[in-house]
Amino acid sequence: MTTTGVRADARIVARADGRGGTALPVLDGEGPLALRRIRSSGAETRVMVVGAMSGPLGGDRFALTARVERGARLHVGSAAATLALPGQAHGEARYDVRLDVADDAELHWLPEQLISAHGSDLYVTTRAELAAGARLVLREEQVLGRAGEEPGRLTSRLTVRVAGRTVLDQELSYGPGAPGGWDGPAVLAGCRAVGQLVVVRPEFADHPAEARVLGECAALIPLAGPAVLVSAVAPDALQLRRLLDESLAGLTRTAP
Amino acid sequence: MHLDHTHDGPTAVSADAHRRDGSRRALRIGLGGPVGSGKTATVAALCRALRDELSLAVVTNDIYTREDAEFLLREAVLPPERITAVETGACPHTAIRDDISANLEAVEDLEDAVGPLDLILVESGGDNLTATFSKGLVDAQIFVIDVAGGDDIPRKGGPGVTTADLLVVNKTDLAPYVGSDLARMAADARTQRAGLPVVFQSLRGETGVADVAAWLRERLVAWSA
Amino acid sequence: MSRAALLVLADGRFPAGGHAHSGGAEAAVKAGRITSAAGLEDFCRGRLHTAGLVAGALAAAAVLGVDPRQLDAAADARTPSPALRSAARRLGRQLLRAARAAWPSPELDALGVQFPKGAHQPVVLGVAARSAGLAPEDAAYCAAYESVSGPATATVRLLSLDPFDATGVLARLAPELDRVADRAVAAARRALDEGVDALPAASGPLLEVAAEWHAAWPVRLFAS
């Protein structure tokens, strides 16, 4: 029986190739964080996280960094949902994502859901650092337990900084051992899927989006900075995704 | 009646007679009284009677936050930027007496936004006979009852009836229909109020709100003196 | 200074505007998520460990002397809902008025000048506690308690809940209030060295979302 889990690191650097496209001078990841370049469309280059095994398990340490340099456009997705599972190694698993987006660069960070399986214990942090002229679309979805399963312990901290100023700092914590009330009417009210969609655009500084209520369990809200957050709680992953997709489509339609 | 503090820098004294820039602030008059006695109708009539001669604004404190404000807006008695609704958490009397902080914010914001103002009417949400305004919020208060609420209300007294600077007995036109004895109400009010003024009014009558408006003009003269 | 100042500051009758705010309880009641004392307890427990913890840490950090501007920006980042940010600033301004009458101090005056539209309420609460000579623990307790006492009082009015049951809920939450206040103060001390990123950012998604829903109602009893 091992006492330490797996370490996995992945790095992406996206750079304008000078011909209107985006090159990937660094695309470095293996094992659970294996990366693959897939078709590109126009200026945007696409990367898929194709985790070769499920994880993270207890004790694992995953880290993924992506840097999008001036003028580059990067889209990152994942081939499948990330499944947090209990491992042989005891203790919390960690998954740290660091995203850096330069002026005049754009990142779409749209991974599949993070599923917290029964008995797992995962602390995930996502930190996005944006220059004043950077653009970002970031989606995070947490699903508590596989179908009909009690969730594990999951804590997720999401920090978005624009031009050195924190516009969103939010930590969500669920499951057995989480601080009390996580399943109650102030937090989840029994729902099993939670999502955040963050859109940062320099134009929001002068033309902030209007707050919009999307039913009693979801809202589009302008943050204190050039960003909006769609925050949604839903009974399941499917309904959550539909809400977030519709919100993103609405934002894209009204793009200045 | 009002506390007339000198003003040394930004202070937190609520009844201060001056604004931050040192100018004299508006006279603040509270209107309270039971549900349905005609407070909002009186406020609307006062706005129509005084808006051409004075710079006016209104703060409402309703149970359902915006109902009274929306009535005044619908009636278009003042431009919308001169009407503010204070949300009272189901307790309008708390907002005018025990914790006046939200109302003070509202009257100060109105003076900052549309001032200078001569007069701000602060209307309480319909409450009970014990609801009175804090002297930290208003300089004088009007208590509005009506003849249909029972002609024994002046006799029963209570803080509003006995201590308000002006007692208004409203809807006198209804007295014959509800069997209220106006003479008895007047006599009881005199006994309870130790010389404080009482106005009998019917907003449907010819004089309408004229007596209350005249009383307000007197207060304003005293305030600006 | 006197520890008893905490009783004045934490008194539900302290005239700082809290009575008109339900802390999200009005929306939760309307959505059918609070229907009883048990539902109120679940709601309060969730609010305590999220908004209550964050407010406690902000208030404690303000007592320790962390720059109110940084704390206010940290509060903004931890409060996505514009309706909640606006309510927090209005309550901050109302609290500042009451605190300046109770414990006049140059720091409270400066806060009024820095934030003419109001700073986030927990930041003002911390500076008020500091002006009253209170400790970071006191401010953290006060903020954490307010995070549950407001919804409890509001629910008594909204559901005509038995006030003894509501008070029982608050009493049962007391041990958790202790733990939240401890965590808040520990985080505030870290923030002194590491900056405001060290402050907790616990969030209740439904609190934020429902606050926007509530703000859009044409008719409501509570301001938030």
Side-chain angles (χ1 to χ4, degrees):
Chain A
M1 180 166 154
T2 55
T3 51
T4 53
V6 174
R7 282 197 74 97
D9 292 287
R11 288 195 313 135
I12 309 170
V13 175
R15 186 170 295 163
D17 65 6
R19 288 170 282 116
T22 296
L24 298 173
V26 178
L27 186 68
D28 189 8
E30 53 184 20
L33 293 182
L35 303 174
R36 188 157 300 157
R37 179 176 181 148
I38 56 169
R39 67 181 167 76
S40 302
S41 58
E44 182 184 80
T45 288
R46 292 189 168 226
V47 169
M48 189 78 91
V49 181
V50 289
M53 53 184 175
S54 72
L57 312 182
D60 289 356
R61 297 276 181 279
F62 290 10
L64 192 155
T65 65
R67 193 172 84 224
V68 189
E69 298 182 352
R70 177 181 282 271
R73 293 181 64 183
L74 176 67
H75 179 120
V76 181
S78 66
T82 301
L83 182 63
L85 290 164
Q88 289 186 318
H90 290 289
E92 179 185 85
R94 273 196 75 121
Y95 190 173
D96 296 307
V97 174
R98 294 291 171 272
L99 309 171
D100 270 284
V101 191
D103 277 323
D104 193 32
E106 179 165 344
L107 171 64
H108 285 231
W109 177 259
L110 298 166
E112 294 304 306
Q113 298 88 351
L114 171 60
I115 302 170
S116 169
H118 181 62
S120 66
D121 184 359
L122 175 64
Y123 184 51
V124 58
T125 68
T126 304
R127 190 177 176 93
E129 286 274 358
L130 277 73
R135 302 166 76 84
L136 172 73
V137 176
L138 178 154
R139 182 183 66 213
E140 286 196 346
E141 295 158 299
Q142 296 93 33
V143 179
L144 307 187
R146 289 166 290 195
E149 178 190 55
E150 284 301 303
R153 170 85 193 266
L154 175 62
T155 301
S156 171
R157 186 155 183 171
L158 170 61
T159 311
V160 179
R161 289 164 60 85
V162 180
R165 180 171 160 216
T166 308
V167 299
L168 177 66
D169 197 347
Q170 169 176 286
E171 184 172 285
L172 308 171
S173 203
Y174 314 114
W182 64 268
D183 205 17
V187 185
L188 286 186
C191 284
R192 284 292 172 265
V194 194
Q196 301 85 43
L197 178 75
V198 180
V199 179
V200 182
R201 288 180 190 153
E203 304 89 272
F204 285 143
D206 294 324
H207 305 283
E210 293 227 348
R212 202 160 70 230
V213 177
L214 313 161
E216 60 173 272
C217 290
L220 183 152
I221 48 194
L223 298 174
V228 302
L229 168 71
V230 178
S231 185
V233 171
D236 60 51
L238 206 64
Q239 294 181 57
L240 176 68
R241 177 62 65 85
R242 196 179 306 137
L243 263 169
L244 296 181
D245 280 352
E246 283 170 11
S247 311
L248 184 57
L251 270 171
T252 307
R253 271 198 306 278
T254 58
Chain B
M1 158 79 0
H2 51 271
L3 303 170
D4 202 345
H5 293 275
T6 48
H7 205 273
D8 47 349
T11 73
V13 178
S14 38
D16 195 316
H18 295 87
R19 302 176 58 207
R20 253 161 293 181
D21 62 8
S23 62
R24 197 168 182 80
R25 63 162 172 78
L27 176 68
R28 300 172 190 160
I29 301 290
L31 285 101
V35 177
S37 62
K39 292 180 299 300
T40 308
T42 301
V43 167
L46 283 171
C47 290
R48 289 192 197 97
L50 298 170
R51 63 190 172 194
D52 294 334
E53 56 188 283
L54 298 173
S55 180
L56 277 174
V58 174
V59 176
T60 65
N61 283 263
D62 203 10
I63 305 173
Y64 295 98
T65 59
R66 293 204 55 86
E67 293 246 310
D68 284 346
E70 268 157 22
F71 173 82
L72 295 172
L73 288 169
R74 265 199 316 278
E75 297 286 300
V77 294
L78 288 178
E81 67 273 16
R82 288 174 178 261
I83 302 170
T84 295
V86 167
E87 291 153 322
T88 62
C91 279
H93 59 270
T94 304
I96 60 162
R97 186 183 57 203
D98 310 274
D99 181 352
I100 57 176
S101 55
N103 269 296
L104 286 171
E105 299 286 314
V107 293
E108 289 175 6
D109 283 351
L110 276 170
E111 290 213 74
D112 288 346
V114 299
L117 292 168
D118 301 308
L119 174 66
I120 300 179
L121 301 174
V122 183
E123 184 195 340
S124 165
D127 212 304
N128 55 45
L129 293 171
T130 64
T132 51
F133 284 83
S134 163
K135 288 178 181 171
L137 175 61
V138 300
D139 303 297
Q141 52 193 306
I142 301 173
F143 201 73
V144 183
I145 60 173
D146 70 296
V147 300
D151 61 6
D152 55 348
I153 287 181
R155 181 174 53 77
K156 286 181 179 166
V161 167
T162 54
T163 65
D165 300 278
L166 179 68
L167 178 68
V168 175
V169 181
N170 202 16
K171 307 185 191 173
T172 51
D173 51 314
L174 296 182
Y177 306 104
V178 297
S180 283
D181 182 344
L182 292 180
R184 181 180 146 199
M185 290 182 91
D188 287 343
R190 262 196 307 280
T191 314
Q192 290 283 2
R193 290 177 50 77
L196 287 166
V198 184
V199 163
F200 284 77
Q201 132 184 314
S202 162
L203 293 174
R204 293 176 179 181
E206 266 176 38
T207 49
V209 80
D211 289 344
V212 179
W215 178 86
L216 273 177
R217 286 192 195 91
E218 281 172 32
R219 304 294 307 202
L220 261 170
V221 169
W223 174 251
S224 333
Chain C
M1 288 289 179
S2 156
R3 187 83 188 268
L6 175 59
L7 298 177
V8 179
L9 184 60
D11 190 336
R13 292 193 195 89
F14 194 71
H19 72 95
H21 293 257
S22 78
E26 184 170 27
V29 164
K30 181 145 179 184
R33 295 197 284 263
I34 300 177
T35 56
S36 64
L40 172 64
E41 185 163 342
D42 279 351
F43 178 87
C44 286
R45 184 170 283 115
R47 189 162 195 259
L48 171 65
H49 288 287
T50 54
L53 173 67
V54 172
L58 288 165
V63 180
L64 288 167
V66 178
D67 180 0
R69 271 169 304 198
Q70 289 184 21
L71 291 174
D72 191 73
D76 261 351
R78 285 159 177 74
T79 317
S81 156
L84 287 184
R85 271 182 272 140
S86 154
R89 290 188 185 285
R90 270 184 288 154
L91 282 170
R93 208 165 82 149
Q94 288 171 248
L95 174 59
L96 184 66
R97 181 191 295 275
R100 284 166 72 191
W103 302 284
S105 82
E107 287 186 346
L108 286 170
D109 292 348
L111 202 57
V113 173
Q114 265 175 10
F115 296 96
K117 298 272 176 206
H120 277 261
Q121 194 267 4
V123 180
V124 181
L125 181 67
V127 178
R130 188 176 154 93
S131 300
L134 292 167
E137 291 76 10
D138 301 325
Y141 264 100
C142 192
Y145 181 65
E146 279 179 2
S147 76
V148 292
S149 63
T153 311
T155 304
V156 167
R157 297 188 205 162
L158 289 162
L159 286 180
S160 302
L161 196 70
D162 184 333
F164 297 108
D165 290 344
T167 300
V169 164
L170 295 176
R172 278 195 296 283
L173 288 170
E176 285 177 71
L177 269 157
D178 290 335
R179 289 199 290 279
V180 165
D182 284 350
R183 280 185 68 193
V185 172
R189 292 196 193 285
R190 280 199 304 281
L192 262 185
D193 300 325
E194 300 167 24
V196 295
D197 284 358
L199 294 172
S203 171
L206 280 177
L207 282 177
E208 299 284 335
V209 167
E212 292 300 309
W213 181 54
H214 181 265
W217 298 357
V219 171
R220 55 181 182 264
L221 288 171
F222 289 86
S224 75

